[in-house]
Amino acid sequence: WHPPAAASDAQPPPASDVQVLVEDARQGPVRLHAHCVVLAASSSVWHRALRGAGGQDAAGSGTAELKLDPKLCSSADVALVALRFLYTGTVAECSFGSNAHLLLQLARLCSGCRLPTPLRFWALDAMLACLDEPEYADVVPALLMEASTLGLEQEDRHFVAR
């Protein structure tokens, strides 16, 4: 299985059978190609969604569609990092490792879709390291309000509150 490529790449990975639809805030709708078996095995939420999709998109092409909730993720880059993690078990080629806004989206996507815990922990750790930057001050209230949902540890909650 080949991990998904960047959205700008024209060729989907071999044998891909699902398109992950992301309503990207900058680019508009973006489709990322992946494999149902990988997504379903990595997320109980996606497993249920893909089982209910009936195995084909609205055009009847035989390719399943999985639409990401824009409240959780509105960045194709975030979705791509999450998808690649499902294939490799590592965070690689992450262009937003010091952007707390996008890291918050990744943490939300992980929590909302029940993605692997190590990815959520990576996103939270990277985000906490960014909070000293004034441009990310608006992330602090969101983190405090969503601390339980995101699985923020008690000591991390104290760090954010200071």
Side-chain angles (χ1 to χ4, degrees):
W1 302 103
H2 297 282
S8 60
D9 294 344
Q11 293 296 332
S16 65
D17 58 355
V18 62
Q19 292 183 21
V20 178
L21 306 175
V22 184
E23 189 60 45
D24 188 280
R26 291 181 299 124
Q27 304 174 60
V30 175
R31 295 176 180 272
L32 302 171
H33 299 271
H35 302 91
C36 284
V37 67
V38 174
L39 303 188
S42 301
S43 164
S44 59
V45 172
W46 289 352
H47 180 85
R48 281 191 303 278
L50 290 167
R51 189 175 352 160
Q56 61 182 2
D57 62 10
S61 70
T63 301
E65 288 185 346
L66 181 66
K67 185 170 176 24
L68 297 186
D69 181 347
K71 293 176 189 165
L72 299 177
C73 178
S74 60
S75 168
D77 292 336
V78 169
L80 187 58
V81 165
L83 292 176
R84 286 181 175 162
F85 182 89
L86 302 182
Y87 285 78
T88 66
T90 62
V91 176
E93 300 179 43
C94 180
S95 62
F96 58 88
S98 59
N99 182 323
H101 294 119
L102 294 178
L103 291 164
L104 179 57
Q105 283 190 42
L106 181 57
R108 285 175 174 154
L109 183 64
C110 289
S111 294
C113 296
R114 308 267 193 277
L115 299 182
T117 301
L119 180 59
R120 181 173 47 85
F121 283 164
W122 180 88
L124 290 171
D125 287 346
M127 185 181 4
L128 291 173
C130 299
L131 293 183
D132 286 339
E133 299 297 324
E135 66 189 289
Y136 300 124
D138 60 331
V139 171
V140 172
L143 268 177
L144 291 173
M145 288 188 303
E146 299 175 46
S148 180
T149 303
L150 296 173
L152 205 60
E153 300 290 332
Q154 193 66 35
E155 62 193 37
D156 293 331
R157 294 178 194 200
H158 289 292
F159 173 80
V160 171
R162 292 183 193 171

